[in-house]
Amino acid sequence: MIWLAKLESEELPYEAEWVRSDELLKDVESRMIPLAEQEQVQFDVVERSHFEMRVDREKFLQAISNIVVNAIRHARSRVSVYVKGTEIVIEDDGNGIPEDLIPHIFNRFVKGKGGETGLGLAIARTIIEQSQGQIKVEQSSLGGARFVIEFPWKES
Ligand SMILES: Nc1ncnc2c1ncn2[C@@H]1O[C@H](COP(=O)(O)OP(=O)(O)OP(=O)(O)O)[C@@H](O)[C@H]1O
Ligand SMILES: [Mg+2]
């Protein structure tokens, strides 16, 4: 909570720089592999294309990590992260988000069955919006949840 309040104040200034999406996703991959191995979940980061993102690197890594940690926890056997145009997609083959929770899932303290504090996605949305992005969630064709982060920048 304190960290989320700081994020929204001047106390933790947003320091934007241009970063390539593939470099950023490599960092996500190396941070998340230990958890995926521990949970016995196959974790694929697919980079068929990339784009330049103007983000606060550390904060954005935090945002995407919160989404990926959830995906790994809820996956049955796999999590996939990929880039499509200027979107970053994170999907898993778990049970997905219950329909009635979808409109509220990014609000603070909203959690599902077996959830923890319900802050991870609220923090992720705050950071993504500070990065001029938008996040939405839908049903994945893998069966679980699909989080799509959409940016306004051009594809490279
Ligand atoms: N990939 C997913 N598949 C299924 N449910 C999910 C997924 N990601 C999030 N959820 C649901 O959304 C809720 C909110 O997620 P959020 O990350 O905000 O909180 P949390 O994981 O419960 O706690 P924490 O603050 O530790 O992250 C979770 O409790 C879970 O019910
Ligand atoms: Mg979480």
Side-chain angles (χ1 to χ4, degrees), residues 15-21 23-24 51-57 132 153-154:
E15 288 169 12
E17 57 179 314
W18 286 104
V19 187
R20 273 173 60 141
S21 61
E23 282 172 16
L24 212 135
F51 61 99
E52 296 279 334
M53 315 171 59
R54 189 159 175 79
V55 295
D56 181 316
R57 194 186 175 98
Q132 303 172 56
W153 308 304
K154 279 203 204 74

Side-chain angles (χ1 to χ4, degrees), residues 97-144:
I97 316 266
E99 204 71 37
D100 57 333
L101 216 56
I102 286 184
H104 313 290
I105 202 75
F106 296 104
N107 295 342
R108 52 188 68 173
F109 304 124
V110 170
K111 56 189 179 182
K113 254 190 273 149
E116 281 161 47
T117 40
L119 281 176
L121 289 178
I123 289 170
R125 181 175 65 177
T126 299
I127 294 170
I128 288 161
E129 289 178 352
Q130 286 176 338
S131 322
Q132 303 172 56
Q134 285 191 355
I135 182 162
K136 63 177 181 186
V137 66
E138 54 196 32
Q139 197 72 25
S140 159
S141 53
L142 301 177

Side-chain angles (χ1 to χ4, degrees), residues 4-51:
L4 187 55
K6 280 188 185 164
L7 264 185
E8 288 168 342
S9 73
E10 312 273 284
E11 220 179 308
L12 269 181
Y14 189 88
E15 288 169 12
E17 57 179 314
W18 286 104
V19 187
R20 273 173 60 141
S21 61
D22 51 347
E23 282 172 16
L24 212 135
L25 290 183
K26 275 207 181 68
D27 286 352
V28 171
E29 190 171 17
S30 47
R31 279 194 193 196
M32 290 298 140
I33 277 176
L35 179 66
E37 282 178 353
Q38 185 190 314
E39 301 287 324
Q40 296 184 311
V41 166
Q42 184 188 333
F43 181 54
D44 299 313
V45 177
V46 187
E47 291 150 28
R48 277 193 215 92
S49 62
H50 65 85
F51 61 99

Side-chain angles (χ1 to χ4, degrees), residues 66 70 73 120-121:
N66 289 358
N70 287 341
R73 291 230 172 92
L121 289 178

Side-chain angles (χ1 to χ4, degrees), residues 70-71 74-80 89-99 102 137-147:
N70 287 341
H74 292 275
R76 200 160 292 124
S77 65
R78 60 179 287 218
V79 171
S80 168
V89 182
I90 300 108
E91 58 184 346
D92 67 74
D93 65 352
N95 292 327
I97 316 266
E99 204 71 37
I102 286 184
V137 66
E138 54 196 32
Q139 197 72 25
S140 159
S141 53
L142 301 177
R146 175 191 283 142
F147 287 85

